[in-house]
């Protein structure tokens, strides 16, 4: 199965291409330069694989939460391929993607992304059971869910920052920080294949990113902030 996978949810851009049971990928920690690099990286991967977008069976992306700009960039690129070649786009929660490699460890997994302003996009799952719903949480709310747990794997690109924020609030819980530098594109491709096997629905034309938090422009427009 040929799958193009894109993770633009955070400043680290990860793009991968699964083809003929092989996987090639590229990860760039480039901050706000995702818009400059996403399409060239995708093009380079197609050239290396010797296939074209028309040969894809599906594309997959982190749908959010995460960067407003990055998520819009990723969905625009993949929906362009969908329109041109009728390739379905499958959406995976960013937090699910970052937790997935550790889901078989037999411990609760706290997946987190720094949302600034003293908050984290976060969720806690254990063997498919939701302990803390995916949302825009402050550290106190996350700590309330973590305290009853003896050990927790803390995963995601901002795992270290989340661990540090919780350390004093959860002194009796072992916070096990996992590396944030795993290949998220490969994880996305794996989840996408599973979704296709389970006959899950791809994104509809009108579907967009899951932000969990209104943008500053929206807050200003609504009068919540000046």
């Amino acid at each position: 199965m040929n799958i193009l996978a894109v993770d633009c949810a955070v400043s680290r851009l990860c793009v991968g291409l699964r083809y003929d049971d092989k996987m090639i990928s590229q990860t760039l920690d480039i901050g706000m330069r995702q818009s400059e690099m996403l399409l060239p990286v995708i093009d380079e991967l197609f050239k290396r694989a010797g296939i074209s977008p028309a040969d894809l069976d599906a594309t997959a992306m982190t749908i959010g939460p995460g960067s407003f700009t990055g998520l819009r960039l990723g969905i625009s690129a993949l929906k362009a391929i969908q329109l041109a070649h009728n390739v379905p786009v499958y959406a995976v929660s960013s937090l699910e993607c970052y937790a997935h490699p550790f889901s078989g460890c037999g411990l609760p997994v706290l997946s987190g992304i720094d949302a600034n302003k003293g908050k984290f996009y976060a969720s806690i799952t254990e063997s498919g059971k939701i302990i803390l719903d995916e949302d825009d949480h402050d550290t106190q709310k996350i700590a309330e869910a973590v305290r009853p747990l003896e050990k927790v794997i803390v995963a995601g690109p901002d795992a270290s920052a989340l661990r540090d924020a919780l350390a004093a609030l959860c002194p009796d819980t072992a916070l096990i920080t996992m590396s944030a530098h795993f290949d998220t594109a490969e994880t996305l491709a794996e989840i996408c294949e599973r979704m296709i096997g389970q006959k899950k629905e791809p994104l509809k034309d009108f579907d967009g990113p899951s932000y969990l938090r209104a943008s500053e422009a929206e807050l200003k427009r609504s009068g919540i902030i000046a």
Side-chain angles (χ1 to χ4, degrees):
M1 186 171 288
N2 297 335
I3 299 173
L4 174 68
V6 174
D7 177 15
C8 289
V10 293
S11 61
R12 186 192 64 228
L13 171 66
C14 189
V15 183
L17 182 59
R18 176 168 288 181
Y19 67 103
D20 297 334
D21 295 323
K22 302 174 185 175
M23 186 78 192
I24 55 174
S25 63
Q26 189 166 353
T27 301
L28 301 172
D29 200 352
I30 52 176
M32 299 301 292
R33 294 181 57 222
Q34 288 181 338
S35 60
E36 300 173 30
M37 298 303 299
L38 177 58
L39 295 183
V41 169
I42 290 174
D43 186 54
E44 175 63 23
L45 293 183
F46 278 124
K47 289 177 179 176
R48 286 171 56 189
I51 65 172
S52 74
D55 297 315
L56 291 172
D57 296 294
T59 64
M61 66 170 291
T62 42
I63 195 67
S67 158
F68 286 88
T69 302
L71 294 172
R72 288 195 296 267
L73 180 64
I75 202 168
S76 296
L78 297 192
K79 284 200 170 185
I81 293 174
Q82 179 187 37
L83 288 171
H85 303 289
N86 197 30
V87 177
V89 183
Y90 286 85
V92 178
S93 157
S94 309
L95 296 175
E96 178 188 352
C97 177
Y98 302 147
H100 181 77
F102 315 108
S103 58
C105 293
L107 291 173
V109 182
L110 167 59
S111 181
I113 300 170
D114 193 343
N116 299 317
K117 301 181 180 179
K119 291 188 172 185
F120 287 84
Y121 301 122
S123 66
I124 304 176
T125 55
E126 182 179 10
S127 302
K129 177 186 175 184
I130 298 173
I131 297 174
L132 178 67
D133 285 323
E134 183 174 296
D135 210 337
D136 178 15
H137 297 294
D138 60 37
T139 51
Q140 288 288 348
K141 177 72 173 181
I142 300 170
E144 288 173 10
V146 168
R147 282 191 200 105
L149 306 173
E150 182 181 350
K151 295 180 181 178
V152 176
I153 292 174
V154 187
D158 299 306
S160 296
L162 181 51
R163 176 204 60 207
D164 292 346
L166 292 173
L169 300 173
C170 308
D172 298 323
T173 302
L175 303 171
I176 306 167
T177 308
M178 306 304 291
S179 170
H181 301 296
F182 60 88
D183 189 336
T184 52
E186 186 167 6
T187 300
L188 280 171
E190 179 183 333
I191 295 173
C192 179
E193 279 195 304
R194 184 187 67 193
M195 292 174 73
I196 293 170
Q198 294 172 343
K199 301 189 184 305
K200 295 287 183 70
E201 289 291 325
L203 287 180
K204 302 290 194 300
D205 289 344
F206 52 82
D207 288 333
S210 172
Y211 295 121
L212 297 185
R213 173 188 291 181
S215 68
E216 288 196 13
E218 290 171 318
L219 292 174
K220 287 179 180 179
R221 192 160 53 242
S222 64
I224 294 175
I225 62 175

